[in-house]
Amino acid sequence: LSPEQITGILHEQARPELFGKAVCHETIYQYIYKGEGRYESLFQHLRQGRKKRFKRWSRKPRKIGIPERISIHERSNEIEAKLTIGHWESDTIEGKRNTRGNLSVQYERKIQLLRLHKIANKEAPETENAIRKSIDSLPLTVWKSITFDNGGEAASHVNLRNDFSIDTFFCDAYASWQKGGVENINGLIRQYIPRGTDISNLTENYIYSIQEKLNNRPRKSLNYLSPNQVLAQEVGH
């Protein structure tokens, strides 16, 4: 668990002998990076596993011609404010160079639910097929919109829009931070699948196990419930 999750659980679900005792998550980080934790190499147990604390630079998307592209600025306030379930962000995690292995990632903005599928390449048909699998795994009412960056893997988004009545939106060029939820979950996935991994060698069962480990992690914004727990509350799935 992250320092923030540890803090939240101690506050919300403390055992009787720990009642009234608490620790700030920043104190835990300070211990890890500046206190005695430095000599215990505790940083390697964090989700990012970094020796130093710093912000991750966003990866710049490619400029690709995308038909019927609708700007992210046309999304409704309902989507922006995360008022309802059903609004997703999509991205691709690349595997080792010169191999046929990548991951298609879908992330629900409100309850932080994850869907993860192995794809052979970043071509649009592969991504479309992966998203169709994600859609099939849940009630269609949970799919109202998807936001993409400007990569070519989203070029066939119109098929999803037409077949499932899902609205599709696109970030500004060089602004992947506009879909920060999926960018953040990518960082968590990287703990299990580091850069340079040959994803083509990973089994579907292993990828599914990563998906469900993250779906069962408690989240501060969900009052320390997991995405799967909130999904069950929302749709009884």
Side-chain angles (χ1 to χ4, degrees):
L1 301 180
S2 71
E4 191 171 51
Q5 290 169 331
I6 291 170
T7 298
I9 290 174
L10 284 173
H11 183 267
E12 301 290 341
Q13 304 172 28
R15 297 192 301 270
E17 63 268 26
L18 295 178
F19 183 77
K21 299 180 180 180
V23 60
C24 173
H25 70 274
E26 184 60 31
T27 300
I28 300 176
Y29 278 116
Q30 291 296 321
Y31 179 85
I32 292 171
Y33 285 107
K34 295 184 178 181
E36 294 181 8
R38 291 178 298 167
Y39 308 108
E40 301 173 40
S41 298
L42 295 180
F43 68 87
Q44 63 187 327
H45 299 293
L46 296 173
R47 289 290 165 182
Q48 302 293 341
R50 292 172 176 152
K51 291 185 178 181
K52 296 182 179 180
R53 297 179 73 182
F54 62 94
K55 293 183 178 180
R56 176 172 177 260
W57 293 99
S58 297
R59 175 172 54 87
K60 292 185 177 180
R62 296 172 294 163
K63 287 186 176 180
I64 301 290
I66 297 175
E68 299 185 34
R69 180 185 179 280
I70 299 175
S71 170
I72 191 172
H73 299 292
E74 296 187 38
R75 292 196 313 193
S76 67
N77 292 333
E78 174 185 308
I79 300 176
E80 295 297 324
K82 303 178 185 178
L83 298 178
T84 59
I85 188 174
H87 302 289
W88 297 73
E89 298 171 356
S90 182
D91 201 9
T92 303
I93 290 180
E94 296 186 42
K96 186 177 181 179
R97 289 186 177 182
N98 301 318
T99 62
R100 291 178 59 80
N102 299 279
L103 291 176
S104 181
V105 184
Q106 284 76 54
Y107 170 87
E108 204 285 325
R109 287 169 52 82
K110 184 176 188 290
I111 67 172
Q112 304 175 51
L113 191 70
L114 174 67
R115 285 295 181 263
L116 195 59
H117 297 285
K118 184 165 69 171
I119 53 178
N121 54 55
K122 294 183 68 176
E123 300 297 324
E126 284 283 310
T127 294
E128 179 186 341
N129 185 54
I131 294 176
R132 286 177 179 272
K133 291 179 181 178
S134 295
I135 293 171
D136 288 343
S137 72
L138 293 163
L140 189 55
T141 54
V142 179
W143 293 87
K144 299 174 184 176
S145 77
I146 305 175
T147 298
F148 301 91
D149 60 25
N150 292 278
E153 60 265 38
S156 61
H157 71 102
V158 176
N159 295 337
L160 300 172
R161 184 195 297 173
N162 292 340
D163 290 350
F164 301 104
S165 299
I166 296 173
D167 294 327
T168 53
F169 302 96
F170 290 83
C171 297
D172 296 332
Y174 306 112
S176 57
W177 55 266
Q178 291 176 333
K179 53 180 182 63
V182 73
E183 294 288 334
N184 178 67
I185 203 73
N186 286 350
L188 301 182
I189 293 168
R190 282 296 189 189
Q191 182 191 11
Y192 303 98
I193 306 176
R195 294 183 185 278
T197 299
D198 187 349
I199 294 175
S200 64
N201 289 333
L202 303 181
T203 66
E204 295 288 354
N205 284 341
Y206 179 70
I207 292 170
Y208 178 78
S209 72
I210 295 171
Q211 170 187 296
E212 291 311 295
K213 282 180 181 179
L214 295 175
N215 282 336
N216 286 314
R217 291 180 69 215
R219 307 297 173 89
K220 179 181 180 180
S221 62
L222 302 176
N223 294 321
Y224 296 99
L225 295 175
S226 70
N228 274 344
Q229 287 175 313
V230 179
L231 176 67
Q233 292 177 354
E234 293 273 352
V235 299
H237 192 276

